[in-house]
Amino acid sequence: MPAKASYSFRSKKVNASPEKIPDIFIRFNTSGSPSPATLSVSVAVDLMDASGSLAAMVHKYTIVVSDDGSLTTTSRERLRLYRNWKNQCESRRISPILRQLDSFDHVLRMGPGATDLFSLLEPMKRTMSLERQCTADMITKWSQMLEHVEQVKFRFFATTSDKLDWFSAEYGIGGEFQSEEM
């Protein structure tokens, strides 16, 4: 990341279809984090049709590095439907396992077309499932919305109390990480 206090990034739109909505993978790495420091990170997947946004999947993190260098991480997953389906679902399912990590180094999979929408893959495993975390109404509306998806886009935003040069993230749409680091 650049040596400044905030950074944002948007990928190009990627074509999709209701039958083939790609997963988005994000790999986070830290090295030599300043202490104390507070970092807020938001990663999102936008699902679109020809008219614009249908829905968004957002995963927000708050990372606090204390004076002794210890790390505390909390997170929140949110699904938001727009237009005809207006609804949202929020969870803190992945947050408890993140509290066990010594560093913020991990891989997150965001799978809009899967039942496990958010999955922590490395170094530990935890998922946020549509069926276990959302209402029946939200599940029905999410399924209806997926029938209209034509494109996906990835968004990233990070802000800190200092500089972001100790933090890096890379993403991949459909499996492979992009060679371009954010």
Side-chain angles (χ1 to χ4, degrees), residues 29-93:
N29 291 298
T30 56
S31 62
S33 60
S35 46
T38 301
L39 173 66
S40 296
V41 177
S42 177
V43 292
V45 175
D46 294 317
L47 303 162
M48 299 164 285
D49 65 6
S51 300
S53 291
L54 295 169
M57 296 175 60
V58 180
H59 199 284
K60 292 185 177 188
Y61 296 95
T62 302
I63 303 101
V64 177
V65 182
S66 63
D67 289 331
D68 64 1
S70 62
L71 185 82
T72 304
T73 304
T74 56
S75 67
R76 180 176 66 215
E77 305 87 32
R78 176 182 292 156
L79 304 177
R80 184 168 280 155
L81 293 166
Y82 306 117
R83 289 196 250 159
N84 305 350
W85 303 282
K86 291 184 181 178
N87 206 336
Q88 81 173 26
C89 174
E90 193 168 303
S91 170
R92 292 184 182 271
R93 175 94 176 118

Side-chain angles (χ1 to χ4, degrees), residues 1-8 160 162-165:
M1 294 286 159
K4 57 184 184 177
S6 67
Y7 180 75
S8 64
T160 185
D162 196 14
K163 297 176 184 172
L164 286 168
D165 54 355

